């Protein structure tokens, strides 16, 4: 029997603050913009918001580089505005999760400025400083061979004190040293600052990178590159669980909050168990990330690796079946701000399939065990930037760094970059950060400025909130119904057990599973991940049609025929 709690019943709507709604016409979204849209958010039926970082930041990584955890990036608003948002959300029974980015800070954070000022500064050990190494020719070298996740070395030399600091992401995002108790205490205080203001939990960024192997050994050499991942020495390191437990006992347990950790690199069942098994008292849930990586290349994200429904069957079964073994809890998601939109990558945004695809994926997200997360815009079927956009449309640092690296290796021949552009068109982080498409007016009603901070996808004239608002047959109408159904039938869809259907039951291109409640209600979910009609091999007698994105006529006599990207939910009481 699964224990009931509010965070299991949460349906989370992720807002990327720069791109949601601009209230003051400067081309950038802001807190007031979110406040203005609370009635809209409420109308969807979602009951929780995850807000990507809004803290003071030089924005080298869109706010994931925080320079002060207790103040707000001025163009977004003020702490008072955020308090108003929290109170308004609570008055509407909506909870707010903030992004907690404490693996690293910005190099403009006061802590880092002090730390870098001298070797004897009391905050020197709040970051990870090491002496240089020297090669046989006496050339200065990094303390080890680790690569930055965004490209280049993970170490940055600081002339002032003659040492290197570790920065696993951008050079301007130095990693904090969680071994320092003073540093941990300061971070805990900053967490309390927000929890005391009523924040209902955190999505913990790069959660499992906070504990590095104390010896910082060289990473295993896996290719010809000058720098190697090294993740085996910084992901889920030796003290990681101590840090989480300390956060829990010293901070989180004093509040009724929800925690979701972003888990990178160590995604095996046992690692996952250690973070979310109920008896471990660590986190409520995790993003294992593998579901957004299904088409990532083997070595690099932008390497070619096509999606196949078999992959989503494998990962869905893996985590749906694993969690109950240790009383853990899943997240269910397909999109976030770090990649392309799932509709383009795992289904289809071609005009004839777009609405069906969006609804089929919505069916997936709302009928599994776990807490669903949707990225703003998903509820109207927002898709990636179209193929007509060239490399210059992509402004995010991750994709740009990769593009420029390959371009350099190919001698600057732009004409030879077609394969890389194809990968950007699928997976670049820009797609998940496109301005929200509110209506068909200029710049999709996102801003009144003539120049929004980033490109607005030109499909907005057709795909926008306004055109779907009063249309029950629209993608948004479907989302609203699915969300309402999940809430109404929580015993089945939230708390029911999961039973996989095999490829032999469904056919290769169809994902199928059953949900079964304590009282014996049953739902069968069948999702066609292809653009061809699929006849489901297994027969389903004594079940009636509960929900579908397609014409009812395709279900009869226990036989189900799915239209392209069709979704069918069958039911028996
Ligand atoms: O973005 C990724 C793949 O495209 C991931 O490798 C990502 O860098 C990793 O999951 C960590 O992401 C988080 O921390 C980063 C930030 O840039 C991301 O936006 C955030 O989600 C550094 O804070």
């Amino acid at each position: 029997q699964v224990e009931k709690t509010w965070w299991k019943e949460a349906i989370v709507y992720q807002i990327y603050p720069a791109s949601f709604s601009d209230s003051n016409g400067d081309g950038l979204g802001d807190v007031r913009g979110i406040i203005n849209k609370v009635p809209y958010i409420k109308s969807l039926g979602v009951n929780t918001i995850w807000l990507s970082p809004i803290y003071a930041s030089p924005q080298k990584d869109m706010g994931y580089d925080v320079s002060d955890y207790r103040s707000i990036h001025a163009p977004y608003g003020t702490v008072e505005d955020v308090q108003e948002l929290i109170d308004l959300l609570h008055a509407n029974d909506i909870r707010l999760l903030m992004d907690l980015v404490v693996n690293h800070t910005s190099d403009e954070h006061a802590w880092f400025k002090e730390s870098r000022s001298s070797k004897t500064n009391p905050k020197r050990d709040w970051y990870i400083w090491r002496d240089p190494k020297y090669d046989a020719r006496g050339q200065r070298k990094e303390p080890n061979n680790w690569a930055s996740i965004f490209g280049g070395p993970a170490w940055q030399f600081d002339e002032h004190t003659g040492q290197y600091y570790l920065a696993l992401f951008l050079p301007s995002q130095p990693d904090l040293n969680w071994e320092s108790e003073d540093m941990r205490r300061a971070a805990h205080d900053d967490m309390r600052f927000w929890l005391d203001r009523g924040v209902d939990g955190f999505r913990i960024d790069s959660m499992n990178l906070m504990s590095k192997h104390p010896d910082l050994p060289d990473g295993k050499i896996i290719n010809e590159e000058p720098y190697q991942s090294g993740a085996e020495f910084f992901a889920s390191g030796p003290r990681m669980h101590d840090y989480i437990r300390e956060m829990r006992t010293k901070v989180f347990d004093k509040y009724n909050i929800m925690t979701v950790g972003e888990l990178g690199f160590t995604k095996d069942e046992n690692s996952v168990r250690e973070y979310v098994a109920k008896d471990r008292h660590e986190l409520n849930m995790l993003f294992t990330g593998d579901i957004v990586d299904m088409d990532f290349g083997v070595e690099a994200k932008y390497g070619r690796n096509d999606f196949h429904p078999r992959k989503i069957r494998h990962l869905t079964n893996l985590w749906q079946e694993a969690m109950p073994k240790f009383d853990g809890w899943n997240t269910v998601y397909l999109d976030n701000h770090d990649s392309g939109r799932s509709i383009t990558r795992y289904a289809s945004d071609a005009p004839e399939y777009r609405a069906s695809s969006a609804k089929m994926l919505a069916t997936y997200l709302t009928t599994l065990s776990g807490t669903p997360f949707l990225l703003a815009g998903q509820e109207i079927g927002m898709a990636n930037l179209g193929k007509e956009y060239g490399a210059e449309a992509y402004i995010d640092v991750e994709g740009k760094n990769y593009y420029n690296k390959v371009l350099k290796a190919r001698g600057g021949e732009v004409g030879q970059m077609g394969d890389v552009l194809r990968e950007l068109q699928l997976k670049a982080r820009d797609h998940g950060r496109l301005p929200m498409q509110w209506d068909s007016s200029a710049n999709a009603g996102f801003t009144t400025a003539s120049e929004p901070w980033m490109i607005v996808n030109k499909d907005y004239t057709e795909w926008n909130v306004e055109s779907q608002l009063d249309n029950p047959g629209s993608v948004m109408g479907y989302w609203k119904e699915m969300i309402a159904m999940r809430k109404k039938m929580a015993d089945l869809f939230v708390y029911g057990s999961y039973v996989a259907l095999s490829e032999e039951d469904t056919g290769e291109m169809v994902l199928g599973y059953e949900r079964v409640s304590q009282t014996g209600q049953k739902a069968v979910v069948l999702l066609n991940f292809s653009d061809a009609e699929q006849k489901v091999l297994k027969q389903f007698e004594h079940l009636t049609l509960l929900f579908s994105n397609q014409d009812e006529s395709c279900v009869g006599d226990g036989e189900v025929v799915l239209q392209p990207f069709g979704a069918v939910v069958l039911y028996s009481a």
Side-chain angles (χ1 to χ4, degrees):
Q1 173 120 30
V2 181
E3 194 192 335
K4 299 190 174 181
T5 57
W6 67 266
W7 45 262
K8 291 181 182 170
E9 292 173 37
I11 298 170
V12 188
Y13 187 74
Q14 182 189 356
I15 292 180
Y16 199 68
S19 298
F20 194 60
S21 179
D22 172 18
S23 74
N24 61 1
D26 63 357
L28 188 73
D30 45 47
V31 177
R32 180 77 34 207
I34 303 172
I35 290 174
N36 295 340
K37 298 295 184 185
V38 169
Y40 168 70
I41 296 166
K42 174 136 181 118
S43 76
L44 297 172
V46 299
N47 53 19
T48 307
I49 287 173
W50 154 27
L51 189 53
S52 280
I54 52 172
Y55 314 101
S57 161
Q59 304 288 327
K60 300 275 167 49
D61 185 22
M62 291 306 295
Y64 283 93
D65 48 328
V66 180
S67 55
D68 180 1
Y69 295 99
R70 298 189 190 207
S71 58
I72 301 300
H73 180 51
Y76 286 158
T78 62
V79 173
E80 288 68 41
D81 294 334
V82 178
Q83 187 68 63
E84 188 182 327
L85 174 65
I86 295 171
D87 297 341
L88 179 66
L89 289 173
H90 288 175
N92 282 281
D93 296 318
I94 300 174
R95 289 178 157 102
L96 180 68
L97 311 179
M98 284 177 80
D99 220 304
L100 180 63
V101 192
V102 287
N103 171 69
H104 45 269
T105 67
S106 159
D107 60 352
E108 293 183 27
H109 196 295
W111 298 345
F112 188 72
K113 289 186 186 163
E114 283 186 55
S115 183
R116 96 190 305 179
S117 67
S118 82
K119 283 187 180 176
T120 55
N121 184 279
K123 291 199 176 60
R124 184 66 170 181
D125 75 340
W126 286 32
Y127 294 84
I128 302 170
W129 292 97
R130 287 293 183 277
D131 286 329
K133 283 193 173 161
Y134 293 92
D135 66 14
R137 285 175 299 146
Q139 284 275 67
R140 194 185 68 220
K141 274 180 44 182
E142 292 82 9
N144 71 22
N145 70 351
W146 296 358
S148 151
I149 292 164
F150 289 151
W155 293 93
Q156 301 299 326
F157 187 67
D158 195 44
E159 296 283 347
H160 179 61
T161 53
Q163 286 192 316
Y164 284 89
Y165 64 87
L166 182 70
L168 289 177
F169 292 94
L170 292 177
S172 58
Q173 289 171 300
D175 280 58
L176 284 162
N177 176 25
W178 278 72
E179 304 245 339
S180 158
E181 199 184 333
D182 289 343
M183 181 259 118
R184 297 205 301 278
R185 210 175 296 137
H188 294 158
D189 284 342
D190 286 346
M191 296 173 202
R192 284 189 203 98
F193 176 86
W194 288 106
L195 295 172
D196 288 338
R197 277 163 181 71
V199 163
D200 302 286
F202 293 120
R203 175 268 189 185
I204 309 176
D205 185 72
S206 306
M207 178 277 296
N208 66 321
L209 308 188
M210 294 177 214
S211 168
K212 281 82 177 172
H213 189 297
D215 300 336
L216 305 173
D218 274 338
K220 198 169 97 197
I221 295 174
I222 50 172
N223 55 29
E224 309 271 86
E225 301 281 325
Y227 301 102
Q228 299 290 321
S229 160
E232 63 277 23
F233 297 115
F234 63 73
S236 296
R239 296 188 65 191
M240 197 56 238
H241 295 284
D242 298 341
Y243 300 151
I244 298 285
R245 282 169 188 224
E246 185 185 47
M247 260 183 239
R248 259 213 74 156
T249 51
K250 294 201 168 153
V251 187
F252 301 164
D253 283 350
K254 315 271 193 271
Y255 306 84
N256 176 21
I257 61 164
M258 132 174 189
T259 52
V260 46
E262 187 196 22
L263 186 74
F265 305 101
T266 53
K267 305 170 180 187
D268 57 289
E269 190 175 316
N270 191 49
S271 303
V272 165
R273 182 189 63 77
E274 290 181 345
Y275 290 107
V276 296
K278 187 164 176 246
D279 62 6
R280 299 271 306 174
H281 302 292
E282 295 195 14
L283 300 171
N284 296 140
M285 55 191 106
L286 292 173
F287 293 129
T288 48
D290 37 15
I291 205 89
V292 289
D293 296 4
M294 287 188 289
D295 59 355
F296 284 13
V298 182
E299 263 183 33
K301 170 179 177 179
Y302 296 103
R304 184 163 183 159
N305 188 355
D306 292 333
F307 171 74
H308 187 282
R310 200 170 287 132
K311 296 186 182 178
I312 198 165
R313 179 180 302 110
H314 168 72
L315 289 174
T316 306
N317 289 342
L318 174 67
W319 297 120
Q320 291 286 311
E321 289 171 357
M323 289 299 168
K325 292 190 227 163
F326 39 77
D327 215 346
W329 190 250
N330 262 301
T331 54
V332 185
Y333 65 103
L334 294 166
D335 290 66
N336 63 33
H337 62 291
D338 283 338
S339 208
R341 301 250 170 191
S342 60
I343 186 171
T344 308
R345 295 159 64 207
Y346 305 152
S348 173
D349 60 13
E352 66 274 35
Y353 299 134
R354 185 158 168 182
S356 312
S357 291
K359 293 173 184 177
M360 186 274 287
L361 296 174
T363 314
Y364 175 87
L365 290 162
T366 49
T367 57
L368 283 164
S369 168
T371 299
F373 286 72
L374 66 144
L375 175 64
Q378 206 167 356
E379 77 276 23
I380 56 164
M382 272 177 65
N384 281 6
L385 280 175
K387 302 270 194 313
E388 63 276 22
Y389 292 96
E392 65 292 340
Y394 293 85
I395 59 172
D396 175 59
V397 62
E398 183 210 57
K400 268 173 86 165
N401 283 359
Y402 182 78
Y403 184 91
N404 290 331
K405 181 180 139 185
V406 179
L407 184 62
K408 201 171 150 205
R410 293 183 185 172
E413 294 283 341
V414 178
Q416 287 178 24
M417 295 297 285
D419 57 334
V420 177
L421 180 59
R422 175 196 176 272
E423 296 302 319
L424 287 177
Q425 286 171 339
L426 283 172
K427 309 170 199 169
R429 306 203 298 180
D430 304 74
H431 304 294
R433 305 169 175 196
L434 290 168
M436 182 71 178
Q437 296 168 195
W438 293 103
D439 59 40
S440 58
S441 69
N443 287 320
F446 158 71
T447 179
T448 54
S450 52
E451 287 284 326
W453 79 276
M454 84 169 285
I455 203 160
V456 176
N457 202 353
K458 55 177 174 225
D459 67 4
Y460 77 85
T461 48
E462 195 183 339
W463 293 87
N464 60 61
V465 169
E466 192 182 43
S467 67
Q468 298 189 25
L469 258 186
D470 300 312
N471 179 358
S474 66
V475 173
M476 187 199 295
Y478 189 89
W479 263 103
K480 284 183 184 172
E481 283 190 71
M482 290 305 290
I483 289 171
M485 186 174 80
R486 183 176 176 86
K487 288 178 173 169
K488 196 173 109 209
M489 302 176 74
D491 286 338
L492 180 60
F493 288 114
V494 180
Y495 295 110
S497 56
Y498 174 90
V499 184
L501 292 175
S502 67
E503 197 170 316
E504 290 73 56
D505 290 331
T506 61
E508 187 190 20
M509 306 308 277
V510 174
L511 172 66
Y513 49 87
E514 300 179 355
R515 303 297 312 280
V516 182
S517 78
Q518 283 274 311
T519 58
Q521 301 171 78
K522 178 166 143 181
V524 176
V525 181
L526 298 163
L527 308 170
N528 181 0
F529 277 86
S530 79
D531 59 5
E533 192 178 276
Q534 304 286 339
K535 182 167 176 288
V536 178
L537 303 174
K538 193 177 161 154
Q539 303 261 321
F540 300 96
E541 267 120 42
H542 316 298
L543 291 162
T544 54
L545 183 68
L546 180 67
F547 222 88
S548 178
N549 69 350
Q550 67 181 34
D551 202 318
E552 273 187 51
S553 62
C554 288
V555 186
D557 301 336
E559 190 171 273
V560 178
V561 179
L562 294 166
Q563 290 171 4
F565 303 104
V568 162
V569 184
L570 304 172
Y571 174 77
S572 76

